[in-house]
mmCIF file of all heavy atoms in Angstrom:
data_model
loop_
_atom_site.group_PDB
_atom_site.id
_atom_site.type_symbol
_atom_site.label_atom_id
_atom_site.label_comp_id
_atom_site.label_asym_id
_atom_site.label_seq_id
_atom_site.Cartn_x
_atom_site.Cartn_y
_atom_site.Cartn_z
ATOM 1 N N SER A 98 136.910 60.358 92.229
ATOM 2 C CA SER A 98 136.910 60.303 93.695
ATOM 3 C C SER A 98 135.713 61.051 94.262
ATOM 4 O O SER A 98 135.113 60.635 95.261
ATOM 5 C CB SER A 98 138.205 60.916 94.237
ATOM 6 O OG SER A 98 139.323 60.143 93.839
ATOM 7 N N ALA A 99 135.337 62.161 93.590
ATOM 8 C CA ALA A 99 134.186 62.940 94.052
ATOM 9 C C ALA A 99 132.902 62.142 93.923
ATOM 10 O O ALA A 99 131.999 62.243 94.763
ATOM 11 C CB ALA A 99 134.078 64.239 93.258
ATOM 12 N N LEU A 100 132.811 61.328 92.871
ATOM 13 C CA LEU A 100 131.621 60.483 92.702
ATOM 14 C C LEU A 100 131.545 59.443 93.823
ATOM 15 O O LEU A 100 130.450 59.116 94.301
ATOM 16 C CB LEU A 100 131.652 59.806 91.333
ATOM 17 C CG LEU A 100 131.441 60.728 90.130
ATOM 18 C CD1 LEU A 100 131.593 59.948 88.830
ATOM 19 C CD2 LEU A 100 130.060 61.373 90.193
ATOM 20 N N ASP A 101 132.705 58.935 94.232
ATOM 21 C CA ASP A 101 132.734 58.006 95.363
ATOM 22 C C ASP A 101 132.224 58.697 96.624
ATOM 23 O O ASP A 101 131.467 58.109 97.409
ATOM 24 C CB ASP A 101 134.160 57.489 95.588
ATOM 25 C CG ASP A 101 134.636 56.581 94.465
ATOM 26 O OD1 ASP A 101 133.763 55.999 93.785
ATOM 27 O OD2 ASP A 101 135.858 56.455 94.275
ATOM 28 N N GLU A 102 132.653 59.967 96.822
ATOM 29 C CA GLU A 102 132.197 60.731 97.976
ATOM 30 C C GLU A 102 130.710 61.040 97.883
ATOM 31 O O GLU A 102 130.001 61.072 98.896
ATOM 32 C CB GLU A 102 133.001 62.037 98.091
ATOM 33 C CG GLU A 102 134.478 61.850 98.378
ATOM 34 C CD GLU A 102 134.715 61.190 99.721
ATOM 35 O OE1 GLU A 102 133.961 61.488 100.676
ATOM 36 O OE2 GLU A 102 135.638 60.363 99.826
ATOM 37 N N ALA A 103 130.237 61.271 96.625
ATOM 38 C CA ALA A 103 128.818 61.606 96.435
ATOM 39 C C ALA A 103 127.927 60.454 96.878
ATOM 40 O O ALA A 103 126.815 60.664 97.384
ATOM 41 C CB ALA A 103 128.550 61.957 94.974
ATOM 42 N N GLU A 104 128.410 59.230 96.676
ATOM 43 C CA GLU A 104 127.636 58.072 97.110
ATOM 44 C C GLU A 104 127.493 58.041 98.637
ATOM 45 O O GLU A 104 126.556 57.449 99.164
ATOM 46 C CB GLU A 104 128.308 56.791 96.616
ATOM 47 C CG GLU A 104 128.232 56.620 95.105
ATOM 48 C CD GLU A 104 128.876 55.326 94.651
ATOM 49 O OE1 GLU A 104 129.744 54.795 95.389
ATOM 50 O OE2 GLU A 104 128.517 54.842 93.572
ATOM 51 N N LYS A 105 128.427 58.723 99.303
ATOM 52 C CA LYS A 105 128.372 58.792 100.759
ATOM 53 C C LYS A 105 127.644 60.051 101.234
ATOM 54 O O LYS A 105 127.508 60.275 102.430
ATOM 55 C CB LYS A 105 129.783 58.787 101.342
ATOM 56 C CG LYS A 105 130.612 57.579 100.944
ATOM 57 C CD LYS A 105 132.062 57.732 101.431
ATOM 58 C CE LYS A 105 132.929 56.588 100.927
ATOM 59 N NZ LYS A 105 134.346 56.756 101.326
ATOM 60 N N GLY A 106 127.210 60.880 100.266
ATOM 61 C CA GLY A 106 126.455 62.083 100.621
ATOM 62 C C GLY A 106 127.269 63.347 100.685
ATOM 63 O O GLY A 106 126.756 64.399 101.069
ATOM 64 N N GLU A 107 128.539 63.313 100.276
ATOM 65 C CA GLU A 107 129.375 64.499 100.319
ATOM 66 C C GLU A 107 130.085 64.693 98.984
ATOM 67 O O GLU A 107 130.544 63.733 98.369
ATOM 68 C CB GLU A 107 130.434 64.387 101.419
ATOM 69 C CG GLU A 107 129.871 64.426 102.830
ATOM 70 C CD GLU A 107 130.984 64.459 103.864
ATOM 71 O OE1 GLU A 107 132.139 64.707 103.459
ATOM 72 O OE2 GLU A 107 130.691 64.228 105.048
ATOM 73 N N ILE A 108 130.160 65.963 98.550
ATOM 74 C CA ILE A 108 130.893 66.296 97.336
ATOM 75 C C ILE A 108 131.792 67.493 97.634
ATOM 76 O O ILE A 108 131.299 68.599 97.865
ATOM 77 C CB ILE A 108 129.952 66.666 96.164
ATOM 78 C CG1 ILE A 108 129.014 65.503 95.846
ATOM 79 C CG2 ILE A 108 130.779 67.024 94.921
ATOM 80 C CD1 ILE A 108 128.072 65.794 94.705
ATOM 81 N N PRO A 109 133.110 67.308 97.655
ATOM 82 C CA PRO A 109 134.018 68.449 97.866
ATOM 83 C C PRO A 109 134.023 69.350 96.631
ATOM 84 O O PRO A 109 134.424 68.918 95.556
ATOM 85 C CB PRO A 109 135.382 67.776 98.081
ATOM 86 C CG PRO A 109 135.261 66.448 97.402
ATOM 87 C CD PRO A 109 133.819 66.032 97.519
#
Side-chain angles (χ1 to χ4, degrees):
S98 295
L100 290 176
D101 292 336
E102 295 297 323
E104 291 181 337
K105 303 173 185 177
E107 292 186 13
I108 301 180

